[in-house]
Amino acid sequence: MRVLVVGAGATGGYFGARLVEAGKDVTFLVRPARAEALAASGLRVKSPVGDVHIAEPATLTAADLAAGKGGGFDIVLLSCKAYDLDAAIADVAPAVGPTTLVLPVLNGLRHLDILDAAFGPERVLGGSCAIAATVTADGEIRMMSPLHSLTYGERAGGRSERVERIEALMQGVAFQARLSEAMVLEMWEKWTFLATLAGATCLMRATVGDIVAAPGGLAFIEALMEECRGIAEDAGYAPRDKVMRNTQATLTAQGSAFTASMLRDIENQARIEADHVIGDLISRGREGAHPMLDRVYTHLKAYENRRAREAS
């Protein structure tokens, strides 16, 4: 199967590099400057589970695709930030043919509606990933933990011939790849976890351990987690008990240095996914049932307003 990875950043670059390492047919859709950098230095990954250096990664630009270069692709792996989704769709559209599958691993669920409108729901799979990585100033992808999983599946649930072909593609890769038969439920479970983590650490500007150690901190995290869980339940995707126990244990661990990447983005004065991760979750909840999330959203939007004002 031919795979087109949109971008070669921390997420797409990592999983794409591991696929190439395993001998898969992978091309990266990148900006011209990134294409030049990759041609000069290759795609480099530093990881606690083993480094990777792809000396000559195959790349295409949006202009190349628009000109008909690259041929057909079986899978498009989409890992951009939510605020870049519209641009990514426009760039990749020429590569999406009648049988191409789009595998997004963005946070939340709002992107599914956008991708359905662009490519048709029959082409859009469900997916999620877990990875803590960043791109350094010199273009190297650096993993900050051994966590590196990618989950995919039919949004209607169960198995199908086409996702089993992806399962076959994933054989031999160095990351944890898994076909889920309950993909949308798992996306909701991840969303519940992420919204709680991002909401708590961004609002408090602190690690999980720092919040838990503060007066009222544990109760705050647990109340925020319950709001997120309740929205998922109302939507028909109540997180499973075992998942919620693990979520609670992780998000209330004493001394934990865990934070959301959204907090790191705020600390770096970068763009954030406030609407996609928090705002869209609020919009799916019952009126008045999520005061903690409402406060988190106000905080994040105030940050965005200040950032936009200072940039103007």
Side-chain angles (χ1 to χ4, degrees):
M1 301 182 78
R2 297 195 69 215
V3 181
L4 181 65
V5 177
V6 181
T11 301
Y14 178 77
F15 288 113
R18 291 296 188 190
L19 285 166
V20 175
E21 177 189 40
K24 314 303 180 179
D25 185 351
V26 176
T27 301
F28 296 89
L29 175 61
V30 292
R31 303 298 184 198
R34 182 63 164 154
E36 292 177 6
L38 292 174
S41 302
L43 181 56
R44 294 167 293 129
V45 174
K46 283 284 186 181
S47 166
V49 296
D51 299 343
V52 184
H53 181 213
I54 310 301
E56 297 180 349
T59 63
L60 289 169
T61 65
D64 292 331
L65 289 183
K69 298 180 182 179
F73 291 92
D74 300 295
I75 304 171
V76 171
L77 179 61
L78 192 60
S79 62
C80 64
K81 291 289 190 179
Y83 45 72
D84 289 328
L85 181 58
D86 289 342
I89 288 172
D91 288 347
V92 80
V96 179
T99 61
T100 304
L101 297 177
V102 179
L103 174 54
V105 290
L106 286 72
N107 294 319
L109 274 87
R110 188 169 72 168
H111 59 279
L112 295 179
D113 294 334
I114 298 171
L115 291 168
D116 286 352
F119 302 122
E122 71 280 0
R123 294 189 183 90
V124 183
L125 298 172
S128 69
C129 68
I131 183 172
T134 188
V135 179
T136 64
D138 65 353
E140 179 180 84
I141 297 170
R142 187 163 298 169
M143 287 187 68
M144 295 176 283
S145 83
L147 185 66
H148 60 162
S149 66
L150 190 152
T151 308
Y152 53 91
E154 294 285 2
R155 287 154 59 188
R159 301 176 71 90
S160 68
E161 182 182 352
R162 62 186 191 172
V163 293
E164 287 177 347
R165 290 201 302 271
I166 298 177
E167 185 176 42
L169 171 76
M170 295 296 176
Q171 298 304 305
V173 299
F175 57 86
Q176 296 167 348
R178 182 172 58 86
L179 192 167
S180 170
E181 297 187 33
M183 191 66 247
V184 175
L185 171 60
E186 292 197 32
M187 292 173 72
W188 270 100
E189 289 173 338
K190 180 186 176 183
W191 198 5
T192 298
F193 174 88
L194 177 63
T196 305
L197 175 66
T201 60
C202 289
L203 185 62
M204 297 298 178
R205 300 293 177 93
T207 68
V208 165
D210 290 336
I211 298 169
V212 170
L218 177 61
F220 164 72
I221 291 179
E222 290 179 336
L224 182 60
M225 180 176 62
E226 177 56 27
E227 286 186 7
C228 297
R229 188 209 62 79
I231 294 174
E233 182 176 29
D234 289 345
Y237 293 95
R240 293 163 289 190
D241 290 343
K242 180 179 179 181
V243 172
M244 287 307 302
R245 287 195 298 271
N246 290 338
T247 292
Q248 182 170 17
T250 301
L251 297 183
T252 60
Q254 294 183 2
S256 171
F258 201 16
T259 66
S261 60
M262 190 183 292
L263 175 59
R264 295 192 291 274
D265 290 337
I266 289 174
E267 292 173 338
N268 292 326
Q269 298 185 333
R271 295 181 72 181
I272 60 174
E273 297 179 307
D275 291 312
H276 200 75
V277 174
I278 302 297
D280 187 44
L281 188 61
I282 288 172
S283 74
R284 297 170 190 254
R286 290 177 284 111
E287 185 74 24
H290 36 67
M292 298 283 194
L293 275 175
D294 290 340
R295 185 60 57 85
V296 167
Y297 188 58
T298 299
H299 173 76
L300 296 178
K301 296 306 287 186
Y303 163 77
E304 289 186 336
N305 291 341
R306 180 180 179 181
R307 181 176 179 273
R309 174 173 53 78
E310 292 179 347
S312 62

